[in-house]
Amino acid sequence: MLAVVLLASALKLLEVSNQATAWILGGATATATACWYVLRRGRSRPEEQATAAPAPASRPG
């Protein structure tokens, strides 16, 4: 969130139009979301692995 605010502020200081600012912020948000998804795909969080219950062992009986 802070990065979006800082980027918008920098674009306004550079006198970028409102429409261009909106497009740039939208593109940056979409790109960041896609990168986050690709980097996190296939990885599970360590606490999810630690709390996974082991399969019960069968007892001969």
Side-chain angles (χ1 to χ4, degrees):
M1 183 65 128
L2 180 61
V4 173
V5 171
L6 291 174
L7 178 58
S9 178
L11 291 171
K12 294 319 281 174
L13 284 173
L14 295 172
E15 299 180 2
V16 177
S17 70
N18 288 339
Q19 185 177 11
T21 299
W23 279 104
I24 292 168
L25 291 175
T29 303
T31 302
T33 302
C35 289
W36 178 83
Y37 176 76
V38 168
L39 292 174
R40 292 291 297 170
R41 185 180 50 186
R43 296 183 187 175
S44 61
R45 293 165 45 192
E47 60 268 10
E48 290 174 354
Q49 293 175 350
T51 59
S58 61
R59 293 183 155 178

